[in-house]
Amino acid sequence: MTRNPSKSAACVLGVLWGDEGKGKIIDVLAQDADVVARYGGGHNAGHTLVWRGERLVLHLIPSGILRPQVLNVIGNGVVVDPFHLRNELEGLVAKGVEVRLGTNLLVSERAPLILPLHRALDQVAEHVRGAGRIGTTGRGIGPAYADRANRSGLRVGDLIRPQRLAAGLEHLLAEKNPVLKAFGLPPIEAGPLAEDLLRIGEGLGAAVADTGAVLRRALRDGRRVYFEGAQGVLLDVDHGTYPFVTSSSASSGGVAIGSGVPPAAIQRVVGVVKAYATRVGEGPFPSELADATGERLRVAGREYGSTTGRPRRCGWFDAVACRYSVDVAGITELVVTNLDVLRGFDPIRVAVAYQVAGRRVTEFPAFDLDEVRPEYQDLPGFQEDITGVRRFADLPAAAQRYIETLEGLAGVRVGLISVGPAREQVIWR
Ligand code: IMP
């Protein structure tokens, strides 16, 4: 892997359903970064990093925050829960992370707000869906994006404009309070909410900015910019496993929309993929292992959601899904994480095609994914502890062959392999 050429940016995103370990990878890549920007999602994301020996989970703050030279940007495509943002900032400061508002952290004035009513409506919608529920994180993500599309939502810039905030809130509550009432929930009072929001706005102060202009200038000046994806390509609202997706454009197409830079600026798309597959929430997962092997993967990989604590569903690497994401997102290189977790699994299986209604398909379908049966290729496993390995040539032959097989199936090179949670536990190729 090389440094970013100037005037162009790299996007780092999850290849399947998120939780691939992007946080650590961004933190590793941020060694040479000038800017790390989030372009979508909200605090439904959970990016886990290890810092000074401690586990740190970031939800809204970009993963470059631990590198003092990096400017961190929350782009206009990110839905911002201001209460959560305040709490996350306070938590980081309490841990000794240096957060300088307006200097190493900016928040787009255009970013839509998640308000408490969105959280309530998210939970109501899930309740109404019953057995067909999506398994959302319950953070209000979908309803906040819906209000953006509906042009009734408020934005971060309103937090520092009392009159606009009051008028916008009045309009929004006139629309939403009857809905809350219909579901037996208490209506929301504008006055106290506006006061809380204005206080948070005051606290954010200089961090509220025209981040699109800042990012475009950074690119013009030849700075190294990384766009940090949230979730993964298969959770993209358009290209994912709809309706079991999140409500934003998680794929690389979301970068231009969610940050205000032109699409052509994105020349490198780094896809982060686990050495096996996981998913939280509901929805199709062809290579899922609902058996003892799946449970073994969950325990070995500590596969519990970093935002909700839910056990993640586990399964084998799915090359059909991976290839689709590589195509859709224009992934130029892959990072494979959690390779160490596969120690002792023999054989290691990879889904290479699907059987559907007696036919073999190698394209990832938009519908009827529940009905496909994966066809596997078996590869030899390895028994060695690889968490201390730092060179590809020092990996056991079976682990090398596994990576090379994934590369062949995905059609792109694996440039970096992660073999443990710490920054140092990586193998560059
Ligand atoms: P929402 O984004 O809370 O609306 O949830 C929609 C779907 O996306 C659910 O299946 C969630 O579990 C999933 N999801 C949202 N954010 C993440 C993430 O950061 N990692 C993995 N899954 C996520």
Side-chain angles (χ1 to χ4, degrees), residues 140-153:
I141 306 294
Y145 276 118
D147 276 349
R148 173 186 74 164
N150 202 28
R151 294 144 298 174
S152 51

Side-chain angles (χ1 to χ4, degrees), residues 233 236 239 251-253 322-331:
V233 177
D236 184 285
H239 303 288
S251 182
S252 54
C322 178
R323 215 165 30 234
Y324 169 76
S325 294
V326 165
D327 270 0
V328 167
I331 290 169

Side-chain angles (χ1 to χ4, degrees), residues 17-19 22 44-47 122 134-139 141-142 230-231 235 244-247 279-282 307 310:
W17 293 283
D19 303 324
K22 290 181 294 294
N44 49 351
H47 295 163
D122 191 357
I134 293 166
T136 72
T137 59
R139 301 283 198 269
I141 306 294
Q231 293 85 44
L235 287 175
F244 301 100
V245 292
T246 189
S247 301
R279 170 162 209 174
V280 278
E282 308 303 320
T307 295
R310 291 179 288 181

Side-chain angles (χ1 to χ4, degrees), residues 333-357:
E333 58 210 285
L334 283 175
V335 175
V336 174
T337 57
N338 290 24
L339 182 62
D340 54 300
V341 172
L342 287 181
R343 174 191 187 189
F345 287 84
D346 200 355
I348 303 174
R349 312 192 84 187
V350 178
V352 291
Y354 298 152
Q355 293 288 339
V356 52

Side-chain angles (χ1 to χ4, degrees), residues 108-312:
S108 170
E109 56 194 5
R110 289 183 158 89
L113 292 181
I114 301 181
L115 297 177
L117 61 96
H118 294 119
R119 209 162 40 235
L121 291 172
D122 191 357
Q123 287 157 15
V124 162
E126 281 288 83
H127 179 74
V128 170
R129 285 180 197 116
R133 72 183 190 284
I134 293 166
T136 72
T137 59
R139 301 283 198 269
I141 306 294
Y145 276 118
D147 276 349
R148 173 186 74 164
N150 202 28
R151 294 144 298 174
S152 51
L154 302 183
R155 305 199 289 179
V156 165
D158 293 322
L159 295 175
I160 52 173
R161 292 175 174 83
Q163 280 179 350
R164 275 188 63 103
L165 183 83
L169 210 49
E170 193 184 329
H171 171 85
L172 186 63
L173 292 177
E175 198 178 287
K176 293 299 191 283
N177 272 340
V179 183
L180 293 174
K181 191 164 162 233
F183 285 105
L185 295 168
I188 290 177
E189 266 188 71
L193 178 56
E195 270 174 42
D196 285 345
L197 292 173
L198 288 172
R199 210 168 305 124
I200 294 173
E202 230 173 274
L204 287 176
V208 179
D210 181 353
T211 54
V214 171
L215 291 167
R216 289 188 295 274
R217 196 177 321 124
L219 289 173
R220 263 196 312 273
D221 293 347
R223 303 250 180 271
R224 279 182 290 271
V225 180
Y226 285 90
F227 288 98
E228 174 176 27
Q231 293 85 44
V233 177
L234 296 186
L235 287 175
D236 184 285
V237 64
D238 292 289
H239 303 288
T241 49
Y242 186 91
F244 301 100
V245 292
T246 189
S247 301
S248 61
S249 298
S251 182
S252 54
V255 174
I257 296 164
S259 74
V261 305
I266 313 303
Q267 296 196 336
R268 249 180 102 191
V269 181
V270 180
V272 185
V273 69
K274 255 180 218 167
Y276 48 94
T278 62
R279 170 162 209 174
V280 278
E282 308 303 320
F285 180 1
S287 64
E288 180 170 14
L289 290 163
D291 60 6
T293 311
E295 181 57 27
R296 233 181 104 197
L297 272 174
R298 186 173 307 119
V299 172
R302 296 170 300 279
E303 295 293 354
Y304 297 88
S306 43
T307 295
T308 57
R310 291 179 288 181
R312 294 180 183 141

